[in-house]
Amino acid sequence: MQPWLTVIGIGEDGYAGLGKAARRALLAAAEVIGGPRQLDLLPHCIRALRTPWPCPFSLGPALAKRGTPVCVLASGDPMLFGVGASLARQLPVDELRVLPAPSSYSLAAARLGWPLQDVSLLSVVARPLAALHAQIHPGARLLVLSNDGSSPAAIAALLVERGFGPSRLTVLEHLGGERERRIGGIAAEWSLVEAAALNLVAVECVAGDNARRLALTTGLADDAYRHDGQLTKRDVRAVTLARLAPQPGELLWDVGAGCGSIGIEWMRAHPSCRAIAIEANETRQAHIQHNRDALGVPGLQLVAGEAPAALDGLPAPDAIFIGGGVTEPGMLDTCWAQLKPGGRLVANAVTLQSEAALVAFRERHGGALTRIAIAQAQPLGGFDTWRSALPITLLEITKP
């Protein structure tokens, strides 16, 4: 099938900035779909029906015209946080033609002299601002597509809250157009309440004395989490995540999630990693909701309920961690049945009864058992001695 849908990237310079292929597609189109601002950039010589996207947004108007010559307008590069990427998930590649323009990221990097390969490209367009936490590190450079004119102030406030108040912000409005403008300042001193609705924020991250620094490795400090004691401690957490071995795009079930630490650090391993935290306790559910935002993975899904019953109907996981409840009737068997072939199951036990459940399960299905014993030096009178934490029995098994 010949491409019937053409996605055209258009910049602030409008129709004048389009190439010949884009102009020919617009002249031949029966309908042009886009945002009102983009549609207004077209000249009167484009006779096609002009249709704004519906609110709430839906691809339906474009997909319903299958077989008819249709153009979709998008800002900059449609395949970079754009509608082209969404359409490409719905249509075969031979039905779709994409004609990109320079993205806002490319224009911003050119204005600032930042090598684009050294910058983190982010978007808060209809996305949680909390996701920025995962990218804030001393010396990092960020280019952030804003949701609206209030985004720069919100980003500045987030940086201050993290202790990165000395960070430098540059707001670039209407990139590539006649109204292009640059506004700079320090996050801790930011005073601009509302920028132009069409803007991008460049951030040079500088840590203050009280900055909360989040390592890229597993095993974040225990005080990075809000919890009521139900927390897989730092060293055990690092060992557990190593056994779970997250891969890009994989889904984890964190069963009996406590404060959500395993699922959170699974998702921090790669931006495409996904996790579902299953937790019955309401107080701990609130801790999970706080921790997932504070640590930069607001996409962590929370399922409120008691496992194994709460697992019914969830998408099949690539890996499962059971941090508590292995003695619950049917817990291990239900998780094992739902795990994808080739998936990993890791379960931790502290009590003799839960350890016995893991030993019995291993006898039926195989796997490896590891005993984790950790001691820390603590004061004893005028001296120091070793204080041992409760030993952990860890079962790891890969499903054939």
Side-chain angles (χ1 to χ4, degrees), residues 168-190:
R168 180 162 188 82
L169 274 64
T170 303
V171 178
L172 297 159
E173 300 177 336
H174 297 290
L175 275 163
E178 294 180 355
R179 294 180 293 165
E180 182 173 322
R181 184 173 70 143
R182 178 190 300 196
I183 306 164
I186 303 301
E189 303 168 359
W190 196 257

PDB file of all heavy atoms in Angstrom, residues 168-190:
ATOM      1  N   ARG A 168      21.637  26.693  36.441  1.00  0.00           N
ATOM      2  CA  ARG A 168      21.300  27.781  35.512  1.00  0.00           C
ATOM      3  C   ARG A 168      20.220  27.318  34.542  1.00  0.00           C
ATOM      4  O   ARG A 168      20.308  26.248  33.958  1.00  0.00           O
ATOM      5  CB  ARG A 168      22.532  28.247  34.738  1.00  0.00           C
ATOM      6  CG  ARG A 168      22.216  29.367  33.764  1.00  0.00           C
ATOM      7  CD  ARG A 168      23.422  30.144  33.304  1.00  0.00           C
ATOM      8  NE  ARG A 168      23.015  31.317  32.532  1.00  0.00           N
ATOM      9  CZ  ARG A 168      22.626  32.473  33.069  1.00  0.00           C
ATOM     10  NH1 ARG A 168      22.611  32.626  34.379  1.00  0.00           N
ATOM     11  NH2 ARG A 168      22.267  33.496  32.307  1.00  0.00           N
ATOM     12  N   LEU A 169      19.182  28.137  34.383  1.00  0.00           N
ATOM     13  CA  LEU A 169      18.093  27.873  33.453  1.00  0.00           C
ATOM     14  C   LEU A 169      18.137  28.878  32.310  1.00  0.00           C
ATOM     15  O   LEU A 169      18.377  30.069  32.526  1.00  0.00           O
ATOM     16  CB  LEU A 169      16.733  27.975  34.143  1.00  0.00           C
ATOM     17  CG  LEU A 169      16.184  26.736  34.855  1.00  0.00           C
ATOM     18  CD1 LEU A 169      17.078  26.338  36.018  1.00  0.00           C
ATOM     19  CD2 LEU A 169      14.755  26.991  35.329  1.00  0.00           C
ATOM     20  N   THR A 170      17.869  28.385  31.110  1.00  0.00           N
ATOM     21  CA  THR A 170      17.685  29.251  29.950  1.00  0.00           C
ATOM     22  C   THR A 170      16.377  28.850  29.286  1.00  0.00           C
ATOM     23  O   THR A 170      16.215  27.696  28.872  1.00  0.00           O
ATOM     24  CB  THR A 170      18.839  29.107  28.946  1.00  0.00           C
ATOM     25  OG1 THR A 170      20.078  29.399  29.596  1.00  0.00           O
ATOM     26  CG2 THR A 170      18.645  30.054  27.771  1.00  0.00           C
ATOM     27  N   VAL A 171      15.460  29.783  29.216  1.00  0.00           N
ATOM     28  CA  VAL A 171      14.179  29.541  28.546  1.00  0.00           C
ATOM     29  C   VAL A 171      14.279  30.083  27.126  1.00  0.00           C
ATOM     30  O   VAL A 171      14.609  31.257  26.918  1.00  0.00           O
ATOM     31  CB  VAL A 171      13.016  30.212  29.306  1.00  0.00           C
ATOM     32  CG1 VAL A 171      11.705  29.993  28.557  1.00  0.00           C
ATOM     33  CG2 VAL A 171      12.918  29.673  30.720  1.00  0.00           C
ATOM     34  N   LEU A 172      13.983  29.226  26.166  1.00  0.00           N
ATOM     35  CA  LEU A 172      14.023  29.605  24.755  1.00  0.00           C
ATOM     36  C   LEU A 172      12.599  29.567  24.214  1.00  0.00           C
ATOM     37  O   LEU A 172      11.988  28.506  24.083  1.00  0.00           O
ATOM     38  CB  LEU A 172      14.922  28.640  23.983  1.00  0.00           C
ATOM     39  CG  LEU A 172      16.394  28.653  24.434  1.00  0.00           C
ATOM     40  CD1 LEU A 172      17.098  27.378  24.020  1.00  0.00           C
ATOM     41  CD2 LEU A 172      17.108  29.864  23.877  1.00  0.00           C
ATOM     42  N   GLU A 173      12.059  30.739  23.905  1.00  0.00           N
ATOM     43  CA  GLU A 173      10.683  30.858  23.429  1.00  0.00           C
ATOM     44  C   GLU A 173      10.642  30.944  21.907  1.00  0.00           C
ATOM     45  O   GLU A 173      11.523  31.546  21.291  1.00  0.00           O
ATOM     46  CB  GLU A 173      10.024  32.108  24.015  1.00  0.00           C
ATOM     47  CG  GLU A 173       9.955  32.134  25.526  1.00  0.00           C
ATOM     48  CD  GLU A 173       9.362  33.435  26.039  1.00  0.00           C
ATOM     49  OE1 GLU A 173       9.429  34.465  25.309  1.00  0.00           O
ATOM     50  OE2 GLU A 173       8.833  33.441  27.159  1.00  0.00           O
ATOM     51  N   HIS A 174       9.621  30.328  21.318  1.00  0.00           N
ATOM     52  CA  HIS A 174       9.352  30.449  19.878  1.00  0.00           C
ATOM     53  C   HIS A 174      10.602  30.206  19.035  1.00  0.00           C
ATOM     54  O   HIS A 174      10.929  31.014  18.139  1.00  0.00           O
ATOM     55  CB  HIS A 174       8.755  31.824  19.560  1.00  0.00           C
ATOM     56  CG  HIS A 174       7.434  32.081  20.211  1.00  0.00           C
ATOM     57  ND1 HIS A 174       6.288  31.427  19.828  1.00  0.00           N
ATOM     58  CD2 HIS A 174       7.085  32.899  21.233  1.00  0.00           C
ATOM     59  CE1 HIS A 174       5.279  31.853  20.572  1.00  0.00           C
ATOM     60  NE2 HIS A 174       5.738  32.737  21.440  1.00  0.00           N
ATOM     61  N   LEU A 175      11.287  29.118  19.299  1.00  0.00           N
ATOM     62  CA  LEU A 175      12.527  28.812  18.585  1.00  0.00           C
ATOM     63  C   LEU A 175      12.297  28.739  17.078  1.00  0.00           C
ATOM     64  O   LEU A 175      11.372  28.080  16.607  1.00  0.00           O
ATOM     65  CB  LEU A 175      13.093  27.472  19.079  1.00  0.00           C
ATOM     66  CG  LEU A 175      13.964  27.537  20.336  1.00  0.00           C
ATOM     67  CD1 LEU A 175      14.122  26.162  20.947  1.00  0.00           C
ATOM     68  CD2 LEU A 175      15.314  28.148  20.007  1.00  0.00           C
ATOM     69  N   GLY A 176      13.152  29.417  16.326  1.00  0.00           N
ATOM     70  CA  GLY A 176      13.085  29.377  14.870  1.00  0.00           C
ATOM     71  C   GLY A 176      12.130  30.363  14.250  1.00  0.00           C
ATOM     72  O   GLY A 176      11.995  30.396  13.023  1.00  0.00           O
ATOM     73  N   GLY A 177      11.463  31.176  15.067  1.00  0.00           N
ATOM     74  CA  GLY A 177      10.488  32.127  14.531  1.00  0.00           C
ATOM     75  C   GLY A 177      10.896  33.571  14.774  1.00  0.00           C
ATOM     76  O   GLY A 177      11.909  33.867  15.401  1.00  0.00           O
ATOM     77  N   GLU A 178      10.080  34.470  14.293  1.00  0.00           N
ATOM     78  CA  GLU A 178      10.370  35.894  14.425  1.00  0.00           C
ATOM     79  C   GLU A 178      10.310  36.359  15.875  1.00  0.00           C
ATOM     80  O   GLU A 178      10.941  37.353  16.249  1.00  0.00           O
ATOM     81  CB  GLU A 178       9.382  36.703  13.584  1.00  0.00           C
ATOM     82  CG  GLU A 178       9.524  36.479  12.083  1.00  0.00           C
ATOM     83  CD  GLU A 178       8.523  37.296  11.301  1.00  0.00           C
ATOM     84  OE1 GLU A 178       7.657  37.963  11.925  1.00  0.00           O
ATOM     85  OE2 GLU A 178       8.603  37.293  10.050  1.00  0.00           O
ATOM     86  N   ARG A 179       9.539  35.645  16.714  1.00  0.00           N
ATOM     87  CA  ARG A 179       9.381  36.050  18.117  1.00  0.00           C
ATOM     88  C   ARG A 179      10.334  35.315  19.052  1.00  0.00           C
ATOM     89  O   ARG A 179      10.147  35.340  20.271  1.00  0.00           O
ATOM     90  CB  ARG A 179       7.939  35.818  18.563  1.00  0.00           C
ATOM     91  CG  ARG A 179       6.921  36.690  17.873  1.00  0.00           C
ATOM     92  CD  ARG A 179       5.525  36.394  18.383  1.00  0.00           C
ATOM     93  NE  ARG A 179       5.069  35.054  17.997  1.00  0.00           N
ATOM     94  CZ  ARG A 179       4.022  34.436  18.545  1.00  0.00           C
ATOM     95  NH1 ARG A 179       3.336  35.047  19.509  1.00  0.00           N
ATOM     96  NH2 ARG A 179       3.652  33.240  18.116  1.00  0.00           N
ATOM     97  N   GLU A 180      11.360  34.690  18.494  1.00  0.00           N
ATOM     98  CA  GLU A 180      12.304  33.950  19.335  1.00  0.00           C
ATOM     99  C   GLU A 180      12.899  34.867  20.409  1.00  0.00           C
ATOM    100  O   GLU A 180      13.297  35.994  20.132  1.00  0.00           O
ATOM    101  CB  GLU A 180      13.415  33.332  18.484  1.00  0.00           C
ATOM    102  CG  GLU A 180      14.409  32.508  19.300  1.00  0.00           C
ATOM    103  CD  GLU A 180      15.398  31.755  18.438  1.00  0.00           C
ATOM    104  OE1 GLU A 180      14.999  31.247  17.359  1.00  0.00           O
ATOM    105  OE2 GLU A 180      16.578  31.668  18.840  1.00  0.00           O
ATOM    106  N   ARG A 181      12.957  34.325  21.641  1.00  0.00           N
ATOM    107  CA  ARG A 181      13.477  35.104  22.763  1.00  0.00           C
ATOM    108  C   ARG A 181      14.149  34.166  23.751  1.00  0.00           C
ATOM    109  O   ARG A 181      13.739  33.012  23.909  1.00  0.00           O
ATOM    110  CB  ARG A 181      12.342  35.872  23.456  1.00  0.00           C
ATOM    111  CG  ARG A 181      12.822  36.795  24.583  1.00  0.00           C
ATOM    112  CD  ARG A 181      11.696  37.651  25.123  1.00  0.00           C
ATOM    113  NE  ARG A 181      10.711  36.884  25.876  1.00  0.00           N
ATOM    114  CZ  ARG A 181      10.080  37.329  26.970  1.00  0.00           C
ATOM    115  NH1 ARG A 181      10.346  38.542  27.443  1.00  0.00           N
ATOM    116  NH2 ARG A 181       9.187  36.593  27.582  1.00  0.00           N
ATOM    117  N   ARG A 182      15.199  34.668  24.408  1.00  0.00           N
ATOM    118  CA  ARG A 182      15.940  33.883  25.400  1.00  0.00           C
ATOM    119  C   ARG A 182      15.870  34.592  26.749  1.00  0.00           C
ATOM    120  O   ARG A 182      16.081  35.802  26.845  1.00  0.00           O
ATOM    121  CB  ARG A 182      17.383  33.717  24.965  1.00  0.00           C
ATOM    122  CG  ARG A 182      18.251  32.941  25.960  1.00  0.00           C
ATOM    123  CD  ARG A 182      19.723  32.993  25.609  1.00  0.00           C
ATOM    124  NE  ARG A 182      19.997  32.438  24.298  1.00  0.00           N
ATOM    125  CZ  ARG A 182      21.215  32.094  23.891  1.00  0.00           C
ATOM    126  NH1 ARG A 182      22.259  32.252  24.698  1.00  0.00           N
ATOM    127  NH2 ARG A 182      21.393  31.606  22.679  1.00  0.00           N
ATOM    128  N   ILE A 183      15.566  33.808  27.806  1.00  0.00           N
ATOM    129  CA  ILE A 183      15.512  34.342  29.171  1.00  0.00           C
ATOM    130  C   ILE A 183      16.352  33.427  30.055  1.00  0.00           C
ATOM    131  O   ILE A 183      16.139  32.204  30.065  1.00  0.00           O
ATOM    132  CB  ILE A 183      14.063  34.384  29.704  1.00  0.00           C
ATOM    133  CG1 ILE A 183      13.160  35.154  28.745  1.00  0.00           C
ATOM    134  CG2 ILE A 183      14.011  34.973  31.103  1.00  0.00           C
ATOM    135  CD1 ILE A 183      11.688  34.932  28.986  1.00  0.00           C
ATOM    136  N   GLY A 184      17.297  33.984  30.781  1.00  0.00           N
ATOM    137  CA  GLY A 184      18.178  33.181  31.614  1.00  0.00           C
ATOM    138  C   GLY A 184      18.098  33.564  33.072  1.00  0.00           C
ATOM    139  O   GLY A 184      17.643  34.661  33.434  1.00  0.00           O
ATOM    140  N   GLY A 185      18.541  32.650  33.928  1.00  0.00           N
ATOM    141  CA  GLY A 185      18.563  32.930  35.352  1.00  0.00           C
ATOM    142  C   GLY A 185      18.971  31.711  36.153  1.00  0.00           C
ATOM    143  O   GLY A 185      19.187  30.623  35.608  1.00  0.00           O
ATOM    144  N   ILE A 186      19.066  31.894  37.470  1.00  0.00           N
ATOM    145  CA  ILE A 186      19.428  30.839  38.406  1.00  0.00           C
ATOM    146  C   ILE A 186      18.149  30.293  39.033  1.00  0.00           C
ATOM    147  O   ILE A 186      17.239  31.057  39.367  1.00  0.00           O
ATOM    148  CB  ILE A 186      20.377  31.378  39.490  1.00  0.00           C
ATOM    149  CG1 ILE A 186      21.631  31.980  38.839  1.00  0.00           C
ATOM    150  CG2 ILE A 186      20.766  30.270  40.472  1.00  0.00           C
ATOM    151  CD1 ILE A 186      22.426  31.001  37.996  1.00  0.00           C
ATOM    152  N   ALA A 187      18.079  28.978  39.214  1.00  0.00           N
ATOM    153  CA  ALA A 187      16.855  28.348  39.719  1.00  0.00           C
ATOM    154  C   ALA A 187      16.416  28.952  41.050  1.00  0.00           C
ATOM    155  O   ALA A 187      15.232  29.245  41.246  1.00  0.00           O
ATOM    156  CB  ALA A 187      17.063  26.841  39.860  1.00  0.00           C
ATOM    157  N   ALA A 188      17.357  29.147  41.972  1.00  0.00           N
ATOM    158  CA  ALA A 188      17.009  29.661  43.295  1.00  0.00           C
ATOM    159  C   ALA A 188      16.508  31.103  43.259  1.00  0.00           C
ATOM    160  O   ALA A 188      15.863  31.564  44.207  1.00  0.00           O
ATOM    161  CB  ALA A 188      18.220  29.552  44.221  1.00  0.00           C
ATOM    162  N   GLU A 189      16.799  31.815  42.167  1.00  0.00           N
ATOM    163  CA  GLU A 189      16.391  33.221  42.056  1.00  0.00           C
ATOM    164  C   GLU A 189      15.334  33.419  40.978  1.00  0.00           C
ATOM    165  O   GLU A 189      15.058  34.566  40.587  1.00  0.00           O
ATOM    166  CB  GLU A 189      17.631  34.071  41.730  1.00  0.00           C
ATOM    167  CG  GLU A 189      18.749  33.939  42.757  1.00  0.00           C
ATOM    168  CD  GLU A 189      20.059  34.555  42.282  1.00  0.00           C
ATOM    169  OE1 GLU A 189      20.083  35.059  41.132  1.00  0.00           O
ATOM    170  OE2 GLU A 189      21.042  34.530  43.042  1.00  0.00           O
ATOM    171  N   TRP A 190      14.744  32.339  40.507  1.00  0.00           N
ATOM    172  CA  TRP A 190      13.832  32.433  39.367  1.00  0.00           C
ATOM    173  C   TRP A 190      12.591  33.237  39.724  1.00  0.00           C
ATOM    174  O   TRP A 190      11.926  32.974  40.722  1.00  0.00           O
ATOM    175  CB  TRP A 190      13.439  31.039  38.902  1.00  0.00           C
ATOM    176  CG  TRP A 190      12.825  31.037  37.530  1.00  0.00           C
ATOM    177  CD1 TRP A 190      11.507  30.922  37.213  1.00  0.00           C
ATOM    178  CD2 TRP A 190      13.530  31.169  36.294  1.00  0.00           C
ATOM    179  NE1 TRP A 190      11.331  30.976  35.847  1.00  0.00           N
ATOM    180  CE2 TRP A 190      12.558  31.137  35.258  1.00  0.00           C
ATOM    181  CE3 TRP A 190      14.869  31.329  35.959  1.00  0.00           C
ATOM    182  CZ2 TRP A 190      12.906  31.243  33.911  1.00  0.00           C
ATOM    183  CZ3 TRP A 190      15.213  31.432  34.620  1.00  0.00           C
ATOM    184  CH2 TRP A 190      14.235  31.387  33.612  1.00  0.00           C
TER     185      TRP A 190
END
